Amino acid sequence: MTVETAAPVRYRLRLKKGRERSLELRHPWLFTGAIDEIQALPGATPGDLGDVVDSNGRFLARGTVQPDSQIVCRIFVWEDTPIDRDFFVARLAAARRWRGECISADHTDAYRLVHSEGDELPGLVVDRYGPLLAVQTLTAGMHRLQPLWLDALEETLAPEAIVERGQEGRREPVADGPAVVLRGTWAHTLLEVREHGLRYRFDALGGQKTGLYLDQRENRALVRRHAAGARVLDLFGYVGGFGIAAGAGGASDVTVVDSSAPALAFARVNWESNGLAPDLLRTHDVDGFEFLRRTEETWDRIVIDPPPLARTRTSLERALRAYKDLNLWAFVRARPGALIWTFTCSQQVSHDLFQKVVFGAARDAGASVQWLARLGAGPDHPVHLDHPQGEYLKGLWLRVLQPGRAPRPREKKP
C-alpha cells in the first residue's frame, strides 16, 4: 500500500437473506450471525477492507474485516467510495471542526480529537495534548490503515510528534508499556497541558491510558464548582485530576488515593504547580477499596473513579459486586450533606445497571441519598446515535442526606 492509492478491498461478505436491517439502520458493527459467506480474495489478511453485499450481491457497505471475531466487520462507509488518505483527511477535518466549537482553546489544550465510532472512524482514538498527538488503534483493521491516517493527521494538524499508546485490539484506551513515536520527534519526559486554566504535568511516553483521563474533564470542572470549604476524597486519583480541581475550587483539604506511587508523585507536582498550599494535600499509595474499609475519616465530597472492572461479560458479575462495595463504603465515609460523584468506565455496565448497583449499596448501608444527575464524558467524546455502545463512561452525582453504617463483620461458622 502506498500513500497515493486507496487501501485495497480484499474481502467480500455476503449476508444471509433478510439480515440487512442493521446496515440499513447504519450500525457500524456487523456480527458473524448475519454472514452467509466470507470470500477472501488473493492476498487477503485479517484487518483488510471488505465489501458487504446482500444475499443478491447488492453492495451495502465497506469496512475492515476480522474473520475470526464476533464483530466480523466494522463499517467505514455505506457508499462505494475509496478508503484513502483523502477519506481520512475529510473525517479528521470534521472531527477537528467540532472540537473547535466545543473546546475553548484559551483555557484547554488537551482533548479527544477522534473518538472511534463516534467520529465515524471505527477503531481509532486520537488524543491531543498541546503539540503532541497520542493515538491508539483498537482494531487490527485500523492498525493496517495506519500509513493513511498518519499522513492525514500530519496534514490536518501538523503536530510536533505522534505517539502510539497501548495494545492493538483493546476496546478502551489503556496503555500497556511505553509509547512508540510514530512521526516527528519527541524526547521530553514530561508534558504540561492546560485544562480550564489549570496546569497538569504527566509522563507523555508512559503512564496509563493515552496520558490523562480526558473523558472526565467536564466532571472535574463540576467538582471544582462545588468544592469550596469542603474536605475532599479523590479515590483512584491517578495524577490528581479531581483533587487538584477541588483544591483550585477552595477545598479545605484534599486526600488523593491511588495504588501507583509514581502517579501520586505527579499529583503532588501538579498540586504545587497550580499554586496550591502543599499542606492541604495528602496522598495515600494504597488500593482504593482497602482505603475506604480501613479509614475512620469522613468527607464532604467524594469522587469514585475506578479503572474498568468489567472488561468482558464473564467478569461482569464480579465487577458489579466491586462497584457495590465501593459505593457502600463511600456512603459510610460521607458526612451529612456530602456530595458524591461515582463512575464506571466499563462498557459492559449500562447506566441503568450502574444506577441499580449504587442504589442497592445505599439501601444496604442504610443511607438516605438524593440523585442529582447522570454524568458522562465531555462533548469531545461524541457517541453516534447509531452506535450507543460507544458510551462507555457512566456516572452519578449524588447527595447524602443521611450517611450509612459500616456493615457488621460476618460471623464465622463453627
Side-chain angles (χ1 to χ4, degrees):
M1 184 197 308
T2 63
V3 296
E4 292 84 9
T5 61
V9 176
R10 291 199 169 110
Y11 286 98
R12 179 179 170 90
L13 285 64
R14 183 184 297 274
L15 298 184
K16 296 175 182 177
K17 188 174 182 179
R19 299 301 295 269
E20 303 89 359
R21 181 62 173 165
S22 70
L23 290 181
E24 292 172 352
L25 295 174
R26 299 180 76 86
H27 194 285
W29 290 356
L30 183 62
F31 293 89
T32 55
I35 303 298
D36 182 47
E37 178 188 21
I38 300 178
Q39 181 183 4
L41 305 179
T45 302
D48 281 339
L49 290 176
D51 284 347
V52 183
V53 300
D54 66 13
S55 58
N56 296 316
R58 178 174 60 93
F59 177 90
L60 296 174
R62 177 170 293 155
T64 56
V65 177
Q66 192 69 32
D68 61 348
S69 172
Q70 184 182 7
I71 306 173
V72 69
C73 186
R74 297 175 191 265
I75 306 302
F76 280 40
V77 292
W78 280 261
E79 304 83 23
D80 186 3
T81 57
I83 306 300
D84 54 15
R85 187 176 65 175
D86 289 343
F87 163 82
F88 283 103
V89 167
R91 292 280 165 98
L92 289 171
R96 186 185 184 190
R97 282 194 298 273
W98 169 238
R99 275 61 180 189
E101 293 184 38
C102 72
I103 301 294
S104 171
D106 292 337
H107 301 96
T108 301
D109 62 0
Y111 53 87
R112 178 147 295 179
L113 175 67
V114 175
H115 191 50
S116 196
E117 286 88 353
D119 286 297
E120 300 184 322
L121 288 169
L124 181 63
V125 168
V126 182
D127 287 337
R128 180 158 204 172
Y129 297 103
L132 181 72
L133 296 182
V135 304
Q136 187 178 33
T137 51
L138 308 179
T139 65
M142 190 58 83
H143 186 74
R144 289 184 63 78
L145 293 168
Q146 185 183 88
L148 297 177
W149 52 258
L150 277 177
D151 284 349
L153 282 172
E154 285 193 312
E155 179 177 331
T156 305
L157 294 158
E160 286 187 25
I162 303 174
V163 301
E164 184 176 36
R165 299 297 308 275
Q167 291 180 336
E168 167 202 322
R170 298 287 281 277
R171 285 302 309 156
E172 295 305 329
V174 178
D176 297 277
V180 176
V181 179
L182 299 176
R183 295 285 176 91
T185 58
W186 191 265
H188 313 292
T189 301
L190 299 182
L191 178 65
E192 182 175 289
V193 296
R194 292 175 292 110
E195 178 181 290
H196 293 306
L198 296 177
R199 299 159 60 192
Y200 290 97
R201 295 181 186 177
F202 61 95
D203 184 352
L205 300 181
Q208 301 173 25
K209 299 197 87 171
T210 57
L212 291 175
Y213 292 88
L214 297 178
D215 48 8
Q216 293 284 22
R217 182 183 56 254
E218 301 309 317
N219 295 321
R220 286 191 283 267
L222 175 63
V223 170
R224 181 178 181 177
R225 291 196 294 271
H226 293 272
R231 299 195 72 228
V232 179
L233 172 62
D234 180 7
L235 280 173
F236 309 97
Y238 191 39
V239 295
F242 278 106
I244 291 158
S252 61
D253 68 84
V254 173
T255 299
V256 178
V257 177
D258 197 276
S259 60
S260 169
L264 291 178
F266 274 109
R268 176 70 60 179
V269 170
N270 288 329
W271 179 273
E272 295 183 10
S273 68
N274 282 285
L276 301 173
D279 60 334
L280 298 185
L281 175 67
R282 292 181 297 159
T283 60
H284 294 273
D285 173 11
V286 67
D287 174 73
F289 292 86
E290 180 182 346
F291 180 84
L292 273 183
R293 292 191 194 99
R294 291 188 176 185
T295 186
E296 295 294 334
E297 295 187 69
T298 57
W299 285 270
D300 305 299
R301 306 289 185 263
I302 300 175
V303 180
I304 310 169
D305 187 25
L309 302 178
R311 295 191 183 278
T312 63
R313 289 190 181 276
T314 58
S315 62
L316 179 58
E317 185 176 347
R318 182 172 59 183
L320 295 179
R321 290 196 298 268
Y323 285 125
K324 186 174 183 179
D325 185 66
L326 269 176
N327 285 278
L328 185 152
W329 281 103
F331 293 136
V332 172
R333 303 308 179 198
R335 293 178 170 181
L339 299 179
I340 295 179
W341 294 268
T342 181
F343 298 94
T344 172
C345 59
S346 297
Q347 197 173 51
Q348 303 292 336
V349 181
S350 68
H351 261 300
D352 288 343
L353 182 55
F354 187 57
Q355 174 186 320
K356 290 177 182 178
V357 169
V358 174
F359 286 10
R363 183 180 62 249
D364 288 358
S368 177
V369 182
Q370 292 175 322
W371 169 24
L372 303 180
R374 280 185 172 182
L375 303 172
D380 55 331
H381 290 65
V383 177
H384 207 291
L385 283 179
D386 300 329
H387 183 253
Q389 296 90 338
E391 185 185 21
Y392 69 92
L393 179 67
K394 282 81 75 172
L396 292 172
W397 180 16
L398 308 170
R399 182 167 177 261
V400 180
L401 301 178
Q402 176 63 44
R405 299 177 303 276
R408 293 181 180 178
R410 293 181 180 179
E411 294 183 5
K412 294 183 180 180
K413 294 182 180 181

